[in-house]
Amino acid sequence: MTNSSDTLAQIHQTLLSRLDADADSSYVASLYSKGLDAILKKIGEEATETVMAAKDGDGDKIIYEVADLWFHTMVLLAQQGLAPQQVVDELARRVGTSGLQEKASRQS
Protein backbone atom coordinates (compact mmCIF):
# COMPACT_ATOMS: atom_id res chain seq x y z
CA MET A 1 0.00 0.00 0.00
CA THR A 2 1.31 3.44 -0.88
CA ASN A 3 1.70 6.26 1.58
CA SER A 4 -1.15 8.78 1.34
CA SER A 5 1.34 11.66 1.10
CA ASP A 6 3.01 9.89 -1.84
CA THR A 7 -0.36 9.51 -3.55
CA LEU A 8 -1.20 13.17 -3.06
CA ALA A 9 2.24 14.19 -4.33
CA GLN A 10 1.89 11.99 -7.42
CA ILE A 11 -1.52 13.42 -8.23
CA HIS A 12 -0.22 16.94 -7.65
CA GLN A 13 2.68 16.39 -10.06
CA THR A 14 0.26 15.14 -12.71
CA LEU A 15 -1.99 18.16 -12.17
CA LEU A 16 0.98 20.51 -12.48
CA SER A 17 1.98 18.85 -15.74
CA ARG A 18 -1.47 19.65 -17.12
CA LEU A 19 -1.36 23.39 -16.30
CA ASP A 20 0.09 24.38 -19.69
CA ALA A 21 -1.12 21.37 -21.66
CA ASP A 22 -3.43 21.67 -24.64
CA ALA A 23 -7.07 21.70 -23.57
CA ASP A 24 -7.80 18.76 -25.86
CA SER A 25 -5.09 16.61 -24.27
CA SER A 26 -6.82 15.83 -20.95
CA TYR A 27 -9.83 16.49 -18.77
CA VAL A 28 -7.76 18.51 -16.29
CA ALA A 29 -6.15 20.60 -19.04
CA SER A 30 -9.62 21.37 -20.41
CA LEU A 31 -10.78 22.39 -16.93
CA TYR A 32 -7.76 24.67 -16.50
CA SER A 33 -8.45 26.26 -19.89
CA LYS A 34 -11.99 27.15 -18.77
CA GLY A 35 -10.61 29.07 -15.80
CA LEU A 36 -11.23 29.45 -12.11
CA ASP A 37 -15.01 29.70 -12.28
CA ALA A 38 -15.25 26.31 -14.03
CA ILE A 39 -13.03 24.73 -11.39
CA LEU A 40 -15.09 26.24 -8.59
CA LYS A 41 -18.32 25.10 -10.22
CA LYS A 42 -16.96 21.55 -10.41
CA ILE A 43 -15.97 21.64 -6.73
CA GLY A 44 -19.49 22.79 -5.87
CA GLU A 45 -21.00 19.97 -7.92
CA GLU A 46 -18.77 17.40 -6.24
CA ALA A 47 -19.55 18.79 -2.77
CA THR A 48 -23.27 18.47 -3.51
CA GLU A 49 -22.82 14.90 -4.75
CA THR A 50 -20.89 14.11 -1.56
CA VAL A 51 -23.75 15.45 0.56
CA MET A 52 -26.27 13.42 -1.43
CA ALA A 53 -24.19 10.25 -1.05
CA ALA A 54 -23.99 10.82 2.70
CA LYS A 55 -27.75 11.29 2.89
CA ASP A 56 -28.14 7.95 1.06
CA GLY A 57 -25.87 6.31 3.64
CA ASP A 58 -23.96 4.28 1.05
CA GLY A 59 -20.36 4.05 2.26
CA ASP A 60 -18.91 3.10 -1.13
CA LYS A 61 -20.69 5.99 -2.81
CA ILE A 62 -19.51 8.40 -0.12
CA ILE A 63 -15.90 7.33 -0.67
CA TYR A 64 -16.26 7.68 -4.45
CA GLU A 65 -17.76 11.17 -4.18
CA VAL A 66 -15.26 12.37 -1.57
CA ALA A 67 -12.45 11.18 -3.86
CA ASP A 68 -13.97 13.29 -6.66
CA LEU A 69 -14.26 16.26 -4.31
CA TRP A 70 -10.67 15.93 -3.11
CA PHE A 71 -9.43 15.54 -6.67
CA HIS A 72 -11.15 18.68 -7.89
CA THR A 73 -9.97 20.57 -4.82
CA MET A 74 -6.44 19.48 -5.73
CA VAL A 75 -7.03 20.85 -9.24
CA LEU A 76 -7.82 24.19 -7.59
CA LEU A 77 -4.72 24.04 -5.40
CA ALA A 78 -2.46 23.42 -8.41
CA GLN A 79 -4.18 26.15 -10.41
CA GLN A 80 -3.58 28.57 -7.52
CA GLY A 81 0.08 27.60 -7.10
CA LEU A 82 -0.54 25.72 -3.86
CA ALA A 83 0.31 22.15 -2.89
CA PRO A 84 -1.63 19.48 -1.03
CA GLN A 85 1.24 19.25 1.46
CA GLN A 86 0.37 22.76 2.60
CA VAL A 87 -3.13 21.54 3.51
CA VAL A 88 -1.69 18.48 5.25
CA ASP A 89 0.67 20.78 7.19
CA GLU A 90 -2.27 22.98 8.24
CA LEU A 91 -4.22 19.94 9.40
CA ALA A 92 -1.16 18.73 11.33
CA ARG A 93 -0.91 22.15 12.98
CA ARG A 94 -4.50 21.76 14.18
CA VAL A 95 -4.04 18.31 15.72
CA GLY A 96 -4.71 18.48 19.43
CA THR A 97 -6.44 21.85 19.15
CA SER A 98 -10.11 22.09 19.97
CA GLY A 99 -12.20 23.05 16.96
CA LEU A 100 -13.70 25.83 19.03
CA GLN A 101 -10.23 27.14 19.93
CA GLU A 102 -9.06 26.93 16.32
CA LYS A 103 -12.11 28.83 15.07
CA ALA A 104 -11.68 31.50 17.77
CA SER A 105 -8.01 31.95 16.78
CA ARG A 106 -9.06 32.84 13.23
CA GLN A 107 -11.35 35.58 14.49
CA SER A 108 -8.57 37.39 16.36
Side-chain angles (χ1 to χ4, degrees):
M1 180 176 240
T2 59
N3 178 315
S4 59
S5 292
D6 292 343
T7 301
L8 294 176
Q10 289 172 350
I11 293 168
H12 183 64
Q13 287 305 310
T14 300
L15 295 174
L16 290 176
S17 75
R18 303 292 196 271
L19 279 170
D20 297 319
D22 184 88
D24 294 329
S25 67
S26 77
Y27 167 73
V28 171
S30 71
L31 198 52
Y32 286 143
S33 74
K34 294 174 187 172
L36 180 60
D37 285 347
I39 295 168
L40 297 175
K41 180 180 177 186
K42 194 63 184 168
I43 291 171
E45 290 171 6
E46 298 302 343
T48 299
E49 290 172 5
T50 299
V51 169
M52 291 167 43
K55 292 290 275 181
D56 290 345
D58 181 339
D60 289 338
K61 192 172 179 184
I62 293 168
I63 290 168
Y64 182 87
E65 295 302 343
V66 169
D68 281 352
L69 178 59
W70 285 13
F71 177 82
H72 287 90
T73 302
M74 289 179 66
V75 169
L76 172 67
L77 289 172
Q79 192 263 351
Q80 294 290 307
L82 302 168
Q85 187 59 50
Q86 291 172 271
V87 177
V88 171
D89 292 345
E90 175 60 17
L91 289 170
R93 183 190 69 77
R94 295 180 188 188
V95 170
T97 302
S98 156
L100 295 174
Q101 289 174 330
E102 199 286 323
K103 187 174 181 179
S105 74
R106 288 186 270 153
Q107 294 172 351
S108 322

